[in-house]
Every structure is written in structure tokens, then in C-alpha cells.
Amino acid sequence: MTRLTGSALRVTIFIGENDTWHHKPLYAEIVHRAHAAGLAGASVFRGVEGFGASSLIHTSRLLSMSEDLPVAVIVVDTEEHVRAFLPQLDELVTEGLVILDDCEVIRYVGRDGAPPRGRADGAQRAPGEGENSL
């Protein structure tokens, strides 16, 4: 059983909602790659307003024409695992911002007390089974 407590590293990726990777949302590709890499967890958060290097303000306000809302993908794991994942982000994120923060995990438990990664019996999860975001 893998446990994640104590010192960890959080990577936050700020991108646009309409950013794509091979015709699918970039945020989805990042989450799927993080999952395939065995990282502890990843979550996507949609912003209601923001701007970046382009200085264009993107907003969800009713009268606004903007549809490309800001999106933040957050991944937390050990420093070793996060740093090993960074080359994939370098490949995927051509526009946006990637930041790293030291953090401390005080609780990380799957549903029903199940181990966060895989199962206690070593079998792989079925797609959608036991999904849990940060």
C-alpha cells in the first residue's frame, strides 16, 4: 500500500480551457498522463476570470465573448515523482504557466479506506472504479 504523507511537491499548470493536444483537451491529456505515470492524484479547476502572458482577460461573465476560460491542473506527489513527470509537461504545455510549490500532505486516503494507488491485493482498478480527485 502506497501512502503519501509529509513533504510533497505540488505542480500547478495554468492553461486555457480551449488548449488542445491531438484534438482533445490539454487538461485531459495532462490528467491521463499523470494517472499513467502513477502520480498520487490530479484535479482540474476551471477559472471564472483571468489573464496571462497575452494580457487578454478571459471571463465567464454573461455579456463577455470569451469562451477560453482559465484552467488550473493541480498534481501532488513526492518531489521525486513530480520531477520525473516534468519532461512530459514540457512536451505538452507550449503556452501557459507551470509552477512548483513545496507542500505538506496531512491526509491522503482513498474512498472506503482503500489504498490510493491500486488495490491491496495488487490488482489494477477498472476504469472509473474508485476514482478520487485531490
Side-chain angles (χ1 to χ4, degrees), residues 55-109:
S55 293
L56 295 173
I57 294 180
H58 302 274
T59 181
S60 63
R61 283 185 273 169
L62 187 60
L63 298 177
S64 172
M65 297 302 289
S66 177
E67 296 176 1
D68 190 21
L69 294 173
V71 171
V73 182
I74 300 176
V75 179
V76 177
D77 206 319
T78 63
E79 181 173 358
E80 177 184 358
H81 289 142
V82 169
R83 290 200 182 274
F85 185 65
L86 292 180
Q88 292 196 58
L89 292 179
D90 191 42
E91 173 190 357
L92 293 170
V93 181
T94 57
E95 293 180 6
L97 174 67
V98 178
I99 61 172
L100 295 172
D101 296 300
D102 291 323
C103 63
E104 182 177 355
V105 175
I106 59 170
R107 182 166 170 80
Y108 178 57
V109 179

Side-chain angles (χ1 to χ4, degrees), residues 25-49:
L26 177 57
Y27 60 83
E29 182 66 17
I30 293 169
V31 168
H32 290 188
R33 286 198 187 191
H35 184 260
L39 295 177
S43 295
V44 179
F45 300 93
R46 179 196 237 179
V48 295
E49 189 166 50

